[in-house]
Amino acid sequence: MLATALNEARQGLAEGGIPIGAALFTREGELLGSGHNRRVQENDASIHAETDAFRRAGRRRDYGSTVMVTTLSPCWYCSGLVRQFNIGAVVIGEAATFHGGHDWLEELGVEIIVLDDEECTTLLGDFIHEHPELWHEDIGL
């Protein structure tokens, strides 16, 4: 599942955007929707990877049985999305570069799995090194 999110992150980077990707799956592993951070490409601050994947997944009656897979710990905005729709689990590629709201989600009963994936860390770390101003804009610094 992380491979899908990583492919989205790479696509975002190739488009000139921030390399963060996400995908929403069923617990059985069926892909519902995937997306990437498109803030730069679409000039829209609300298009984070998780929100893009969520929108592309379409409507569902029950999000509790879904898993959000993301290359980076979700920010507070995306953590709010997980909370609002009661997404049952979040798989995080890495949380060293940015530690978002996943502790809060775990306190609320969301299953959290942090993979500490080296490729996720390197992809975003290299981007931040090359484009610190864009990264700081993205995280609100």
Side-chain angles (χ1 to χ4, degrees):
M1 289 194 265
L2 183 60
T4 301
L6 264 166
N7 285 337
E8 286 285 349
R10 287 187 209 100
Q11 182 179 342
L13 181 62
E15 294 170 356
I18 299 165
I20 303 170
L24 190 67
F25 290 90
T26 65
R27 289 266 184 184
E28 293 75 32
E30 176 191 351
L31 177 63
L32 301 171
S34 63
H36 52 275
N37 185 305
R38 293 185 298 123
R39 296 177 70 254
V40 174
Q41 300 92 311
E42 299 292 329
N43 195 32
D44 182 342
S46 71
I47 306 178
H48 290 202
E50 297 88 345
T51 60
D52 193 32
F54 182 79
R55 289 173 178 161
R56 292 172 187 269
R59 292 175 47 208
R60 296 188 60 82
R61 286 189 176 274
D62 177 22
Y63 290 96
S65 63
T66 64
V67 179
M68 179 67 76
V69 180
T70 180
T71 58
L72 183 66
S73 177
C75 69
W76 285 104
Y77 169 58
C78 295
S79 294
L81 173 95
V82 170
R83 174 68 176 120
Q84 174 69 33
F85 291 95
N86 197 31
I87 293 172
V90 179
V91 175
I92 300 165
E94 66 104 347
T97 305
F98 178 79
H99 193 101
H102 69 266
D103 292 335
W104 173 67
L105 291 171
E106 191 167 41
E107 289 171 10
L108 295 170
V110 177
E111 180 183 359
I112 300 293
I113 299 168
V114 180
L115 300 175
D116 294 321
D117 182 84
E118 186 176 325
E119 188 173 357
C120 290
T121 304
T122 300
L123 182 64
L124 188 56
D126 289 350
F127 175 84
I128 293 169
H129 179 74
E130 294 171 15
H131 305 283
E133 72 292 338
L134 193 53
W135 171 247
H136 287 216
E137 174 190 323
D138 190 60
I139 61 169
L141 292 178

